[in-house]
């Protein structure tokens, strides 16, 4: 009795997944093969919570628990894993074990999974399952990655315009048994051309013998299969959608996208932008291996090192000036650094506005003008503060003027580059988040050193 | 005929909103009060598209078009505006014009709007509307901002466990007329304690005289009203929810949150993090006024300036060393800058992992250890590259060793601080995105200068 109670308390993944002690005791249960406990754990928890726990275990341990689940639970857990763990698990299972798992997946999940594993294994799996399913997956694999065609599931509820509400409900019931998240009934003509949709709740309100065509909402949010996923996410956000139809070139419905996938995309795209702007080249999560992390960061550090050497060689042009007035060596990083800070601010705002779609090549002029005005005003302010500080604390008028003008010039350069480089990269098809900051801070470093030391050299006699 | 056709082509907001030419011609239509065209435009477009166009016009122009809409369309457009424009529009309307608009809003939208306008105006509006509505809004205003209580709408479909499916559908029909997005039927006992939910599609599958209690899905995702919106978003993402119930302290349902609000939160929180990490203190959009933008950025520039002065004063401690070996002035920014870059990488990854919930105080040790290892290895690599470059290009062995050790030490410091400061700030209740980078780059600047110039001073005889 006592044991049972303890088991019940510790069986909750949600409550315990973040506790290192609990995880350790869980590992121990696996080690001693306490299958009673583990089965109770699997039974009691949501697949997302189970997945969270398994991701924190050794791969061997995770695999042991995973094998204890039935195939339905296995598929629910599998889709929650990150890509590395998914691929690893699949490689440990033989085809006869995989088939029942993947057959429970929705087509988008299945396609996603197949695209991540080795070609041979993928082929083997596709040959082992129902032929209709596999031909569907093969078709979906032909769409470009990160487009609507890859995101969609092909399970959706639809009815013809000429159907009665009664008939539509019968069609809906059939599909409702297969798939879980149905929010809309799509309405098409007899050739599957999309005509609109009906919200499920409106079906409840309608008389059973009414024609479906009369209930249709005409604002159709149909998405072409080749639309980029970022664009798809924008459409969902703008129109507050829960589900949208995907159509082929002839405007015939071939699938639908649901909002839960969009939520993940918005989160992932934001993460990607944040990491790229911070100089980390690819998604890096807590469980990314140290070697992968190092590889992803080292490349940017080496590029930055090259840029720093460029900036340093600018400084070395002015060795004589520095020699005769060594205070300049202490002040020069201030001018360079402030340009970098102001440039980073401009880039951040512009890159974010590009990502959310507020800024595009057509209205770029507005953003550019704004950044320039901000650059001039912030340049005057920061230049004045620096100049006054030099004047009052060091009592040097000429040096105060040199730092004022150098700071002003560098902050204007930072603004101009910060506003234009991200847009330029975007037009060239390069992700502005990944490369903007390198260009801008290198330039503000070099220009900052050059401008400050150059002016100082010109007015060396007065310093 | 010709005119009509042209009007039809140019009436689409979706197609034209981003074209400057079209916007200009649209302004002209407003100027000449071409109400036929403008009404056709309003009729033909989705509220979200109309809002997008209006946000790009002068406030006077936007107000003119807004007034041409009926009150239902006005409320649909109003909720799409950003907060500034909402507040501005409300201030231009008198209470009798506002009441019919706000009465169409869902409670979360209404509460949100009321919280943004002046107290007097808010009071006036609340007194002008239906007493039941206004008492609901007043109640919701008592919840903390950015919590589930503020996000929820109080319009939701629910039924008692003991109801039959038939009775539940009748209840559902009643609420379905009032609110648009219903995906679940919540099931409670007679005291409104939440027992579970039923998906709408499952209601279609159920026999009409079955008891609702038998259909209930027991995995209840109920959210306490005081839960922070970031936490709410995590729950939605993790469990792929479309709608979740909000409960009071006694676990009674008081509202529900839908996924469209969550999509906005995920996007906004990500934007906030990105901007803060880039040194912009508050949300800054394309239509933020220049003065607001300057204010938001200048504060960080001034703080950075203070830090740069601190770093500069470190350099000035070593004026004699630089004087006798001026090449150090050119090399010192490299060591300082690389520390800043490596620190920024570590911060970015750690801050993002905190934001997504992967990293928390309980498993922080894992992240810390990883960052330290990365710091050592990247420090050795970058240090070795720099040292070898100095050795081969400048032919100075001692200087090569100085830069190697200074670089290694600075990158380790960067890693230690980059991994620990965000978590420390988080534990102190400060947003790690906003302040981490200031602390870390200042320290790596100062430490980089100190370490490099200090070592150089010690070994000056050998340089």
């Amino acid at each position: 009795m006592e044991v049972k109670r303890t088991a019940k308390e510790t069986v909750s993944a949600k409550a315990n997944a973040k506790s290192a002690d609990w995880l350790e005791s869980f590992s121990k249960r696996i080690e001693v093969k306490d299958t009673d406990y583990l089965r109770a754990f699997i039974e009691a928890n949501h697949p997302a919570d189970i997945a969270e726990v398994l991701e924190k275990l050794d791969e061997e341990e995770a695999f042991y628990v995973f094998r204890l689940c039935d195939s339905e639970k296995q598929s629910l857990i599998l889709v929650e894993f990150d890509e590395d763990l998914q691929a690893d698990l699949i490689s440990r299972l033989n085809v006869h074990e995989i088939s029942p798992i993947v057959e429970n997946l929705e087509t988008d999940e299945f396609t996603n999974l197949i695209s991540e594993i080795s070609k041979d294994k993928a082929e083997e799996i596709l040959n082992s399952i129902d032929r209709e399913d596999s031909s569907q997956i093969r078709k979906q694999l032909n769409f470009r990655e990160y487009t609507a065609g890859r995101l969609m599931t092909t399970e959706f509820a639809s009815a013809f315009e000429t159907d009665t509400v009664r008939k539509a409900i019968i069609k809906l019931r059939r599909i409702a048994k297969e798939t879980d998240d149905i929010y809309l009934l799509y309405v098409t003509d007899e050739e599957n051309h999309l005509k609109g949709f009906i919200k499920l709740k409106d079906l409840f309100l309608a008389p059973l013998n009414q024609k479906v065509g009369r209930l249709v909402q005409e604002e159709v949010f149909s998405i072409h299969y080749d639309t980029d996923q970022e664009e798809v996410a924008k459409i969902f956000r703008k129109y507050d959608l829960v589900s949208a139809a995907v159509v082929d070139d002839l405007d015939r419905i071939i699938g639908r996208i649901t909002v839960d996938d969009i939520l993940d995309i918005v989160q992932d795209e934001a993460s990607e932008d944040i990491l790229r702007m911070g100089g980390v080249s690819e998604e890096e999560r807590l469980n990314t291996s140290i070697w992968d992390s190092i590889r992803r960061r080292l490349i940017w550090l080496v590029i930055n090192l090259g840029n720093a050497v460029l900036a340093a060689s600018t400084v070395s042009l002015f060795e004589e000036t520095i020699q005769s007035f060594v205070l300049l060596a202490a002040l020069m990083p201030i001018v360079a650094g402030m340009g970098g800070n102001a440039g980073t601010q401009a880039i951040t705002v512009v890159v974010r506005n590009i990502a959310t779609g507020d800024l595009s090549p057509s209205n770029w002029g507005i953003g550019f003008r704004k950044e320039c005005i901000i650059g001039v005003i912030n340049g005057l302010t920061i230049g004045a503060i620096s100049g006054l500080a030099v004047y009052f604390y060091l009592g040097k008028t000429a040096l105060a003027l040199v730092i004022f003008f150098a700071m002003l010039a560098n902050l204007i350069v930072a603004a101009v580059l910060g506003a234009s480089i991200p847009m330029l990269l975007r037009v060239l098809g390069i992700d502005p988040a990944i490369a903007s900051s390198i260009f801008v801070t290198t330039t503000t470093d070099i220009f900052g050193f050059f401008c400050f030391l150059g002016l100082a050299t010109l007015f060396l006699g007065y310093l």
Side-chain angles (χ1 to χ4, degrees), chain A residues 276 278-281 284 293-309 434 438 442:
Chain A
R276 285 180 170 183
V280 184
S281 63
E284 188 184 315
S293 293
I294 289 174
R295 192 173 47 74
R296 287 165 197 188
R297 298 195 202 178
L298 205 49
I299 177 169
W300 286 111
L301 289 180
V302 171
I303 294 174
N304 275 319
L305 183 60
N307 291 327
V309 169
I434 204 165
I438 290 284
T442 304

Side-chain angles (χ1 to χ4, degrees), chain A residues 209-251:
Chain A
N209 50 2
Q210 186 154 45
K211 286 269 184 289
V212 160
R214 306 237 354 230
L215 294 172
V216 149
Q217 302 213 5
E218 277 187 31
E219 285 161 329
V220 189
F221 302 99
S222 67
I223 294 173
H224 186 265
Y225 64 84
D226 201 39
T227 311
D228 275 326
Q229 63 176 22
E230 265 192 276
E231 196 52 43
V232 176
K234 277 179 203 164
I235 296 170
F236 267 77
R237 274 207 309 127
K238 181 165 178 186
Y239 300 109
D240 290 343
L241 304 183
V242 167
S243 173
V246 178
V247 296
D248 65 11
D249 294 321
L250 299 173
D251 211 30

Side-chain angles (χ1 to χ4, degrees), chain A residues 36-68:
Chain A
D36 283 351
Y37 172 84
L38 294 172
R39 280 186 217 278
F41 168 82
I42 293 163
E43 180 63 34
N45 288 292
H46 189 282
D49 290 312
I50 299 175
E52 190 178 348
V53 170
L54 297 195
E55 283 190 342
K56 291 189 174 136
L57 300 175
D58 289 346
E59 281 170 16
E60 284 295 337
E61 293 173 337
F63 188 60
Y64 182 80
V65 179
F66 186 75
R67 273 211 142 141
L68 290 176

Side-chain angles (χ1 to χ4, degrees), chain A residues 38 43 48 60 71 131 139 193 247 314 326 421:
Chain A
L38 294 172
E43 180 63 34
E60 284 295 337
S71 69
R131 181 181 299 221
K139 223 185 280 172
H193 295 109
V247 296
T314 312
V326 79
I421 286 183

Side-chain angles (χ1 to χ4, degrees), chain A residues 41-47 50 66 69-78 101 104:
Chain A
F41 168 82
I42 293 163
E43 180 63 34
N45 288 292
H46 189 282
I50 299 175
F66 186 75
C69 307
D70 61 39
S71 69
E72 201 186 323
K73 197 109 189 187
Q74 283 178 331
S75 33
L76 293 172
I77 295 171
L78 192 66
I101 303 176
N104 286 321

Side-chain angles (χ1 to χ4, degrees), chain A residues 207-446:
Chain A
L208 288 175
N209 50 2
Q210 186 154 45
K211 286 269 184 289
V212 160
R214 306 237 354 230
L215 294 172
V216 149
Q217 302 213 5
E218 277 187 31
E219 285 161 329
V220 189
F221 302 99
S222 67
I223 294 173
H224 186 265
Y225 64 84
D226 201 39
T227 311
D228 275 326
Q229 63 176 22
E230 265 192 276
E231 196 52 43
V232 176
K234 277 179 203 164
I235 296 170
F236 267 77
R237 274 207 309 127
K238 181 165 178 186
Y239 300 109
D240 290 343
L241 304 183
V242 167
S243 173
V246 178
V247 296
D248 65 11
D249 294 321
L250 299 173
D251 211 30
R252 292 176 305 201
I253 181 167
I254 54 174
R256 58 152 187 165
I257 298 174
T258 47
V259 70
D260 51 321
D261 293 326
I262 301 301
L263 210 48
D264 292 338
I265 290 171
V266 169
Q267 180 88 8
D268 291 348
E269 299 269 352
S271 284
E272 196 183 87
D273 275 7
I274 290 177
L275 292 175
R276 285 180 170 183
M277 293 193 72
V280 184
S281 63
E282 270 175 79
E283 168 136 53
E284 188 184 315
R285 300 187 55 170
L286 197 58
N287 52 5
T288 305
S289 80
I290 285 187
W291 290 111
D292 279 340
S293 293
I294 289 174
R295 192 173 47 74
R296 287 165 197 188
R297 298 195 202 178
L298 205 49
I299 177 169
W300 286 111
L301 289 180
V302 171
I303 294 174
N304 275 319
L305 183 60
N307 291 327
V309 169
L310 270 181
S313 58
T314 312
V315 174
S316 68
L317 296 177
F318 299 97
E319 277 190 10
E320 269 177 51
T321 309
I322 295 172
Q323 186 104 48
S324 56
F325 195 59
V326 79
L327 185 60
L328 295 176
L331 295 178
M332 65 180 199
I334 303 183
V335 178
M338 292 310 293
N341 290 328
T344 302
Q345 289 182 332
I347 294 167
T348 306
V349 171
V350 171
V351 166
R352 193 62 195 155
N353 278 327
I354 293 175
T356 58
D358 285 348
L359 207 57
S360 63
S362 68
N363 67 349
W364 173 76
I366 303 170
F368 183 72
R369 205 167 48 236
K370 190 174 160 187
E371 289 302 329
C372 288
I373 298 173
I374 294 175
V376 171
I377 295 174
N378 281 350
L380 288 170
T381 315
I382 295 295
I385 296 175
S386 320
L388 288 173
V390 167
Y391 178 77
F392 283 112
Y393 288 100
L394 304 175
K396 296 185 189 293
T397 318
L399 186 60
L401 286 172
V402 166
I403 204 169
F404 170 79
F405 282 110
M407 198 68 97
L408 174 60
N410 205 22
L411 262 65
I412 291 174
V413 166
V416 170
L417 293 178
S420 48
I421 286 183
M423 191 51 84
L424 186 71
L425 289 172
R426 201 215 113 140
V427 170
L428 295 175
I430 302 169
D431 181 353
I434 204 165
S436 297
S437 140
I438 290 284
F439 286 116
V440 175
T441 52
T442 304
T443 316
T444 52
D445 268 2
I446 295 174

